[in-house]
Amino acid sequence: MKRFIVLFSAVILCLTLAGCSGSQYKKATELYEQGNYAEAGEIFSKLGNYEDSADKANECKYQEASALLQNSDYDAAKALFSALGDYGDSADKVKFLMLL
């Protein structure tokens, strides 16, 4: 009986955590769609390996860096693109920003 209670509790805990991650993922997706890349990226980063959260976190950083570039905030854009490493064309963007 004790084993059943422990197993049942573990299953409930897993289901609860999965539900929490799902709602956070949905919230981050909504924030991304609204253009709130920084906040969405934070949530995706906290979700770790849930779904494609790691990729989404990088995409949020990329979009945030692109917005900074568009607003002529070159130093901040370069820092974010640099942090992304080889994600997309981030390395090319860093090279471009170094010429400015």
Side-chain angles (χ1 to χ4, degrees):
M1 181 67 172
K2 218 177 199 181
R3 285 172 73 184
F4 174 76
I5 292 172
V6 170
L7 181 60
F8 181 74
S9 297
V11 168
I12 295 298
L13 179 64
C14 288
L15 291 174
T16 301
L17 291 176
C20 290
S21 295
S23 65
Q24 287 296 99
Y25 184 90
K26 183 178 177 182
K27 179 180 178 182
T29 301
E30 289 170 359
L31 289 167
Y32 177 85
E33 289 170 355
Q34 295 167 2
N36 192 340
Y37 305 120
E39 192 174 349
E42 282 184 42
I43 296 171
F44 281 128
S45 292
K46 289 177 184 175
L47 288 172
N49 292 328
Y50 182 80
E51 300 270 337
D52 58 350
S53 293
D55 290 334
K56 295 279 189 177
N58 283 333
E59 182 60 24
C60 286
K61 286 180 190 174
Y62 184 88
Q63 292 300 328
E64 186 178 0
S66 295
L68 290 166
L69 177 59
Q70 196 168 21
N71 290 324
S72 302
D73 191 346
Y74 303 126
D75 291 334
K78 185 168 69 172
L80 275 179
F81 281 126
S82 293
L84 285 167
D86 290 335
Y87 181 81
D89 64 348
S90 295
D92 292 334
K93 299 275 187 183
V94 171
K95 289 177 188 175
F96 168 75
L97 287 165
M98 293 179 87
L99 298 173
L100 298 178

